[in-house]
Amino acid sequence: MKATYRALLEHGYAGLSISRIAEELDKSKASIYYHYDSKDALLVAFLEYAADQFESSVATETGDDPRADLEHVVEKLLPRQLDEEQRQVQSVVLGLRGQAVTSEPFREQITAMDDRLASTVREIVDRGIEDGTFRDVDSWRVAEHVLATVNGAMYARATTDRENAVVAARDSLSAYLDVTLVGESSPPESESSTQADETSTQEAQPSTQEDGT
Amino acid sequence: MKATYRALLEHGYAGLSISRIAEELDKSKASIYYHYDSKDALLVAFLEYAADQFESSVATETGDDPRADLEHVVEKLLPRQLDEEQRQVQSVVLGLRGQAVTSEPFREQITAMDDRLASTVREIVDRGIEDGTFRDVDSWRVAEHVLATVNGAMYARATTDRENAVVAARDSLSAYLDVTLVGESSPPESESSTQADETSTQEAQPSTQEDGT
DNA sequence: GTCTATAAGCGGATAGAC
DNA sequence: GTCTATCCGCTTATAGAC
């Protein structure tokens, strides 16, 4: 599994082959077939392994401050500064996830992963509602909104060079949670000056696609 | 390009080969090499073509009601009911986007696409602020939030069986826009009963990953 | 522009020795 | 369990005829 992980990192999903895995493993191709019946079987096993890695990299203690717990989850998935190891785990998982478009078994696994993540978020929101910290919102909807935004931003981080966009989305999500769950108060930090330094890639780019405006 | 599109639809990115494209085209493999120097060159050309298709499938008239324009854009990307053709365009684009994790040229193109989309959204928000329809929010942040959520939900639609989750995220996003941009009023529709029929996949699934709770 | 034929190589997978 | 050797199919890409 670790060798597969390394091979995936180096060559991407498209470039993943038994030879490459064997190389990382420092064993022969044939030896891999002793442990797995086929490449597909190995891949299915790996997807499970990768899901575990990803989820334990996200797992977080939940305390008795729901708003902090929520922020903690978001921070785990979408840290302002992504360290190299997390970047790698995420791009591998995203690479596999892409295969779910055309592969049934992959799709099932990914669906289960998102289900678990969404439940985690929803449970935190529910707890907050019960203990009176949060307003009586539709926890399911809110959880799905959070998950979609976080996934979208992770996805952008892995497939574009729009780092600032990721941070902006994250900040806006936090502000949204404050307004929706807690009420009107804005958090200690500012409201319109956290956005780095305007050196962003999407600033001052007047849209090449349409003629309107 | 159209033959490549069809081949991609039938076999996915992993299964895309010159033979397959030639087959769709009803010409020989060699004839393709007369028009493109290499598979990579063809792929780069196709990415551009696909981006155009995608963007023109999203393009929308912008009128003088910013809130409606915004809703229109979201509806185009994340319709409540996705028709077959749109589903296909989206899964092809998503499939290509996945390659951006490991391919520089792909990454650049995808970055440009997201930049354009974000600008479109931001311009609508700016227009709304100027004409007094919207509050004086940070249009950049809001636009990135919208884009991340929409992308995340599209991504979920293409890689999971969580249809209800997509609709939930979309509804929550609309509600968020109403609150943030317009003010307190909630839209005509309900607040906690639009969520289909609870037959969703993520309901009643008590999270297998942690022991807390 | 398009074809057939073919080169050269890598992919997954197996046989059989150790 | 691991190795070497090997099979076979398919891939990208080219040569050269029409």
Side-chain angles (χ1 to χ4, degrees):
Chain A
M1 295 294 100
K2 283 185 183 173
T4 303
Y5 177 77
R6 288 194 300 273
L8 225 29
L9 268 180
E10 275 182 64
H11 311 284
Y13 187 88
L16 184 69
S17 71
I18 300 289
S19 320
R20 242 86 104 125
I21 298 171
E23 200 177 307
E24 291 295 334
L25 191 61
D26 236 348
K27 294 263 144 73
S28 69
K29 283 194 291 175
S31 80
I32 290 178
Y33 283 99
Y34 175 80
H35 298 280
Y36 299 93
D37 283 345
S38 67
K39 191 190 182 184
D40 268 9
L42 183 152
L43 247 32
V44 168
F46 180 74
L47 184 53
E48 221 152 317
Y49 167 82
D52 277 1
Q53 293 296 108
F54 176 72
E55 278 166 8
S56 67
S57 95
V58 169
T60 172
E61 304 289 304
T62 54
D64 39 37
D65 179 352
R67 186 60 248 265
D69 289 347
L70 219 45
E71 205 59 36
H72 208 115
V73 170
V74 174
E75 171 65 24
K76 283 279 184 174
L77 291 161
L78 227 49
R80 278 205 178 62
Q81 267 285 69
L82 191 61
D83 69 71
E84 187 52 19
E85 203 188 302
Q86 264 185 314
R87 216 215 76 240
Q88 294 183 342
V89 180
Q90 289 191 8
S91 56
V92 166
V93 171
L94 274 270
L96 292 173
R97 184 169 184 144
Q99 307 313 309
V101 176
T102 41
S103 154
E104 270 309 311
F106 274 45
R107 195 186 186 83
E108 274 172 47
Q109 272 278 347
I110 300 291
T111 299
M113 278 180 72
D114 267 13
D115 278 347
R116 288 192 292 269
L117 263 178
S119 290
T120 302
V121 174
R122 195 164 74 95
E123 278 160 24
I124 294 174
V125 175
D126 279 337
R127 221 175 302 133
I129 295 173
E130 271 168 47
D131 76 11
T133 315
F134 293 159
R135 296 203 285 197
D136 187 26
V137 298
D138 181 338
S139 65
W140 175 59
R141 257 201 200 180
V142 172
E144 294 301 348
H145 183 162
V146 171
L147 184 62
T149 309
V150 166
N151 272 341
M154 277 181 51
Y155 191 42
R157 205 166 227 169
T159 59
T160 72
D161 300 311
R162 308 178 76 247
E163 255 301 306
N164 289 339
V166 172
V167 177
R170 196 214 132 130
D171 286 344
S172 181
L173 180 65
S174 285
Y176 155 71
L177 290 174
D178 281 317
V179 173
T180 318
L181 298 177
V182 184
E184 286 315 290
S185 72
S186 16
E189 5 153 32
S190 80
E191 229 261 81
S192 57
S193 58
T194 326
Q195 48 178 280
D197 49 306
E198 308 282 320
T199 335
S200 138
T201 43
Q202 92 300 327
E203 279 297 343
Q205 203 148 306
S207 161
T208 344
Q209 101 208 348
E210 30 157 24
D211 41 17
T213 312
Chain B
M1 295 294 99
K2 283 185 184 173
T4 303
Y5 177 76
R6 288 194 300 272
L8 223 29
L9 268 181
E10 275 182 64
H11 311 285
Y13 186 89
L16 184 70
S17 71
I18 300 288
S19 319
R20 242 87 105 127
I21 298 172
E23 199 176 307
E24 291 294 334
L25 191 61
D26 235 348
K27 293 263 145 72
S28 71
K29 286 190 290 175
S31 81
I32 290 178
Y33 282 100
Y34 175 81
H35 298 279
Y36 299 93
D37 283 345
S38 67
K39 191 191 183 185
D40 268 10
L42 184 151
L43 247 32
V44 168
F46 180 75
L47 184 54
E48 221 152 316
Y49 167 82
D52 277 1
Q53 293 296 110
F54 175 73
E55 279 167 8
S56 66
S57 96
V58 169
T60 172
E61 305 289 303
T62 54
D64 39 38
D65 180 351
R67 187 59 249 266
D69 288 348
L70 218 46
E71 205 58 37
H72 208 115
V73 170
V74 174
E75 172 66 24
K76 283 278 186 176
L77 291 162
L78 226 51
R80 276 205 180 62
Q81 266 285 66
L82 191 60
D83 70 70
E84 187 52 18
E85 202 187 303
Q86 265 184 315
R87 218 215 75 240
Q88 294 183 342
V89 180
Q90 289 191 8
S91 57
V92 166
V93 171
L94 275 267
L96 292 173
R97 184 170 183 143
Q99 308 311 310
V101 176
T102 41
S103 153
E104 270 308 312
F106 274 46
R107 196 187 186 83
E108 273 172 46
Q109 272 278 347
I110 299 291
T111 300
M113 278 180 71
D114 267 13
D115 277 348
R116 288 193 291 268
L117 263 178
S119 290
T120 301
V121 174
R122 196 165 73 95
E123 278 159 24
I124 295 174
V125 175
D126 279 337
R127 220 173 303 133
I129 295 172
E130 272 168 46
D131 75 11
T133 315
F134 293 161
R135 295 203 285 197
D136 187 26
V137 298
D138 181 338
S139 63
W140 174 60
R141 257 201 201 179
V142 172
E144 294 300 348
H145 183 164
V146 170
L147 184 62
T149 310
V150 165
N151 272 342
M154 277 180 50
Y155 191 42
R157 204 167 229 169
T159 59
T160 72
D161 301 310
R162 307 179 75 247
E163 255 301 306
N164 289 338
V166 173
V167 177
R170 196 215 134 129
D171 286 343
S172 181
L173 180 64
S174 285
Y176 154 72
L177 290 174
D178 280 317
V179 173
T180 318
L181 298 178
V182 184
E184 285 316 290
S185 71
S186 16
E189 6 153 32
S190 81
E191 229 260 80
S192 57
S193 58
T194 327
Q195 47 179 279
D197 51 306
E198 307 283 319
T199 335
S200 138
T201 44
Q202 94 298 329
E203 280 297 344
Q205 203 147 306
S207 162
T208 344
Q209 101 207 344
E210 30 158 23
D211 40 16
T213 313

